[in-house]
Amino acid sequence: MRGFFALVARMALFFATLKARIILFASLIIVGLATIFIVGVFQALVGSSDSTPEGEFDFASGGTQNLAPEVEELRPLFEKYADLHGIPDHVDLLMAKTMQESGGRLADVMQASESLGLPPNTIRDQEESIDVGTRYFAQVLEQANGDEKLALQAYNFGHGFIDYANEHNNGEYSKELAIDFSREQYQRVKDTGNYSCIRPESAETGACYGDIGYVDAVMSYMQPTLADGEFEEVIEVGAQWIGNSEYVFGGGRTRAEQEQGLFDCSSFVHWAYEQVGIELGHFTSVSTDTLKHKGQAVPVNEIQPGDLVFFDTYKLDGHVGIYVGDGQYIGAQSSTGVAIESMEDGFWGDVFNGRVRRI
């Protein structure tokens, strides 16, 4: 009988321990799910921008000074093979291409295997990938008569795109031409099941062959620069909209809206720089979050006219404008449209966060 009671006691202890473990496990699951939910809500709140969503596969939007460390470490190899293949002035462009292709995180960093007629990622050595990819880009650049954008898109589509451009657009690149080519090619190959729409605009246009946003994506990693005096032009062209524009959240992302002076803060900044030949990404997807990575960071005590300045409004870096000097900036504000405002006092002085980027 004594053994029976001992067995009962051990069983009671076992089930009590099991119950405690189950309760602990359930508690951990509940805490984990709650954490995931809170993080998701936080990201949704601070991750929104004052425009349309950004493109995919964006490792480090901005100029070449923001290359991933994995790519920057390969600069000597890019310099070596750019010189070997006769395009020494295109090192930064080759590295920007690599950011878009792999971010430096694959053995075939330039995704060059297919240029040899091999399956993707057949090349297993980074130096070989740079050698092959640079040689191929040099070839398409020559076929494109030095048109960098045409050569970039041909690197993605294949050199047949250059023939298409020669036939349909006097040998010049345009985004519309890339869409037309992609749409036509996709109709020929869609039944193979090897192609899919990798961007929302691809699905909307039926242009699902290759990447119609490839040029914009690569160029977003290039460091734009302003020549002497050009910052004054940026300010001057922007000033034409003072008292003659309207703030529209998400506006300024069609040419028709731009012609009417319908902007939000980031589209206005993009438009002003575009007028002097500086591309800050594609105008349809510009946002404060893309602009805050452009150019290079500058201490606020070294600010100069033409620099981008940022403000914490409905979120961190929720507003952007262009510094004009004397503690003032020009930007598209919801209350005024395009106007010049003080950064040193009043509302904008209170929300200026000290972030300055020099293009």
Side-chain angles (χ1 to χ4, degrees):
M1 182 64 70
R2 183 179 302 167
F4 172 77
F5 285 116
L7 176 62
V8 171
R10 285 197 297 271
M11 291 180 65
L13 178 61
F14 171 79
F15 284 112
T17 303
L18 179 61
K19 179 179 179 181
R21 289 178 178 176
I22 291 173
I23 292 173
L24 177 61
F25 182 71
S27 300
L28 290 174
I29 291 176
I30 292 172
V31 171
L33 291 174
T35 301
I36 292 171
F37 174 77
I38 292 171
V39 171
V41 170
F42 177 78
Q43 289 178 336
L45 289 173
V46 304
S48 59
S49 67
D50 84 341
S51 70
T52 53
E54 297 179 42
E56 300 173 0
F57 200 59
D58 186 12
F59 285 101
S61 296
T64 52
Q65 82 283 357
N66 287 324
L67 292 175
E70 295 90 341
V71 174
E72 188 60 52
E73 290 174 0
L74 297 172
R75 183 177 289 275
L77 290 177
F78 283 104
E79 292 174 345
K80 171 184 175 180
Y81 288 104
D83 185 63
L84 177 65
H85 297 301
I87 51 172
D89 296 333
H90 290 78
V91 171
D92 283 342
L93 187 62
L94 292 167
M95 296 176 74
K97 275 172 45 58
T98 301
M99 282 299 298
Q100 178 60 21
E101 293 287 352
S102 71
R105 301 168 187 177
L106 301 174
D108 189 0
V109 287
M110 291 191 72
Q111 294 293 279
S113 298
E114 293 171 88
S115 69
L116 297 175
L118 301 173
N121 295 304
T122 301
I123 294 175
R124 304 302 300 168
D125 177 76
Q126 289 185 327
E127 182 168 357
E128 181 184 0
S129 178
I130 294 171
D131 181 11
V132 173
T134 301
R135 181 171 66 246
Y136 181 65
F137 183 71
Q139 293 170 355
V140 294
L141 184 64
E142 182 179 5
Q143 294 172 12
N145 294 317
D147 185 330
E148 291 180 348
K149 292 185 176 181
L150 181 60
L152 284 171
Q153 194 64 70
Y155 190 95
N156 177 257
F157 281 161
H159 57 77
F161 179 63
I162 297 175
D163 296 332
Y164 188 84
N166 290 333
E167 181 180 353
H168 296 278
N169 201 41
N170 297 316
E172 297 179 357
Y173 168 84
S174 74
K175 181 69 170 291
E176 293 73 20
L177 188 74
I179 292 173
D180 290 343
F181 178 83
S182 175
R183 185 187 296 115
E184 290 183 17
Q185 293 300 310
Y186 183 61
Q187 290 303 311
R188 295 189 179 97
V189 301
K190 63 180 182 180
D191 293 334
T192 66
N194 296 325
Y195 297 85
S196 61
C197 300
I198 64 175
R199 296 179 184 273
E201 62 176 327
S202 298
E204 293 169 3
T205 60
C208 300
Y209 177 88
D211 181 2
I212 59 175
Y214 187 79
V215 171
D216 293 330
V218 171
M219 296 307 292
S220 72
Y221 296 106
M222 292 297 291
Q223 169 64 54
T225 55
L226 281 176
D228 292 341
E230 283 189 329
F231 66 85
E232 296 176 355
E233 294 182 41
V234 173
I235 296 169
E236 288 174 4
V237 298
Q240 69 179 275
W241 292 113
I242 295 177
N244 189 32
S245 64
E246 179 181 350
Y247 180 93
V248 176
F249 188 85
R253 288 168 181 79
T254 68
R255 295 306 184 190
E257 288 178 336
Q258 293 175 354
E259 291 172 359
Q260 298 175 66
L262 306 178
F263 297 103
D264 64 12
C265 64
S266 56
S267 67
F268 168 73
V269 168
H270 183 284
W271 178 88
Y273 272 89
E274 188 179 38
Q275 305 315 297
V276 298
I278 300 297
E279 295 188 11
L280 300 178
H282 198 269
F283 73 94
T284 61
S285 59
V286 65
S287 70
T288 56
D289 289 328
T290 64
L291 292 177
K292 73 181 182 182
H293 296 291
K294 299 297 183 183
Q296 57 185 341
V298 175
V300 68
N301 61 347
E302 297 179 11
I303 192 170
Q304 296 179 5
D307 290 343
L308 303 189
V309 289
F310 292 82
F311 306 81
D312 293 342
T313 51
Y314 71 100
K315 66 166 188 170
L316 298 176
D317 301 310
H319 187 68
V320 63
I322 304 170
Y323 186 65
V324 299
D326 297 325
Q328 297 180 312
Y329 81 97
I330 185 172
Q333 284 69 248
S334 59
S335 58
T336 61
V338 176
I340 293 178
E341 305 281 356
S342 173
M343 295 166 46
E344 297 182 342
D345 52 36
F347 175 77
W348 296 110
D350 292 339
V351 298
F352 174 53
N353 63 18
R355 184 191 296 277
V356 181
R357 303 292 295 188
R358 180 159 300 155
I359 302 302

